[in-house]
Amino acid sequence: GVVGYDDGPLYCSAVNGQLKGFDRALAVSCNVAFAELGNLVGREAVVSEYRRYGFDSALEDSSSFGRVVQPLGSERQLGELSIGLEASEITPVHAALQAATYANGGWMSSPQIFEATDTYLGYSQVQLPGPGRWRVVEEEWLPPIVDAMQAVVAPGGTAARVAPAHFPVALKTGTAGHPRYGFHVNYIGFGPLPDPRFAFAVRVTHQRTSQRVRRAAYAVTRRFLRSLAGTEGAPLGVTVAGP
């Protein structure tokens, strides 16, 4: 439930006892586990991993990507950076792209946002070049990541049973507080498994308590996934949803 650093304690939202593995730590969103892992691998490795995922991007469309707000600091601050709290920021598009990375075999792509008018037959006359992409996760590391994200929606996970039974997904939840945005939540995921066609991010902000924002995010995500489950024949893409 808590770990002490020289400049103060870092808390989990719940006391989960001794964890049995990575998938359980991800399923219950254990802050302490990932803060301690971050301190074990070191600051340079953590910041480098952020930048592999496009944070602080130098790409032309860099406004779609998040940033590392505070790359330097204390052990406790490194713990927050490892969890994804105040030391970093992410956009909803970037969050959805991160989910799409796991669905795309470890490859991350630049976002493609465009406006076009279709013909009466539904055929788009706009021809777009393929987005640039780069390898983020080696293929052999994907199974444990996907297994852990599936544990999030399994009984005991922070988003248990959020998806319809006929539309299984892998998902990660994240809750934080901010002086400007109040309590906010990011849900990222992809599905349906085992051959995902959609990646998504759901963001809910400006709630008074963490309990309230988690309830709202769960309700929005559940409604969104029910709607998505009724969509057929669409290629793998990135969908961003909000309240």
Side-chain angles (χ1 to χ4, degrees):
V2 61
V3 60
Y5 295 108
D6 289 344
D7 55 337
L10 188 148
Y11 293 93
C12 279
S13 59
V15 178
N16 294 296
Q18 185 174 3
L19 302 172
K20 295 182 179 180
F22 172 69
D23 56 346
R24 184 61 182 164
L26 204 76
V28 299
S29 200
C30 180
N31 290 345
V32 168
F34 294 103
E36 291 288 78
L37 284 172
N39 274 284
L40 281 172
V41 302
R43 183 176 300 276
E44 183 178 350
V46 171
V47 174
S48 174
E49 195 68 11
Y50 264 98
R51 289 174 177 156
R52 278 162 55 89
Y53 277 89
F55 286 80
D56 300 330
S57 175
L59 296 173
E60 186 176 343
D61 54 0
S62 60
S63 62
S64 297
F65 292 89
R67 63 192 183 101
V68 179
V69 179
Q70 190 178 351
L72 302 176
S74 65
E75 282 191 350
R76 186 184 187 282
Q77 184 271 341
L78 176 55
E80 290 185 344
L81 185 63
S82 305
I83 301 163
L85 289 175
E86 297 175 8
S88 62
E89 294 179 349
I90 192 169
T91 68
V93 169
H94 192 182
L97 289 171
Q98 184 170 337
T101 297
Y102 307 131
N104 283 328
W107 291 89
M108 176 170 273
S109 299
S110 300
Q112 285 188 296
I113 303 172
F114 65 96
E115 181 178 355
T117 301
D118 291 344
T119 67
Y120 289 112
L121 296 177
Y123 174 73
S124 175
Q125 301 181 63
V126 177
Q127 299 295 323
L128 294 175
R133 66 176 194 161
W134 61 96
R135 166 72 71 179
V136 175
V137 184
E138 296 301 324
E139 205 162 339
E140 60 267 27
W141 286 105
L142 287 171
I145 294 174
V146 175
D147 287 348
M149 292 179 70
Q150 287 182 268
V152 174
V153 295
T158 53
R161 301 184 180 91
V162 72
H166 64 286
F167 194 85
V169 301
L171 190 145
K172 179 68 183 82
T173 67
T175 307
H178 191 280
R180 182 178 175 185
Y181 303 116
F183 284 94
H184 54 281
V185 159
N186 288 319
Y187 277 21
I188 71 168
F190 52 90
L193 300 175
D195 298 310
R197 292 185 292 118
F198 303 98
F200 60 87
V202 174
R203 173 170 291 182
V204 178
T205 64
H206 294 89
Q207 301 297 310
R208 293 191 300 271
T209 66
S210 59
Q211 185 179 29
R212 182 184 176 96
V213 77
R214 286 196 297 268
R215 284 201 306 265
Y218 187 95
V220 169
T221 305
R222 186 174 179 84
R223 190 165 62 245
F224 169 61
L225 290 177
R226 284 177 174 174
S227 176
L228 196 61
T231 305
E232 296 181 358
L236 176 67
V238 174
T239 303
V240 180

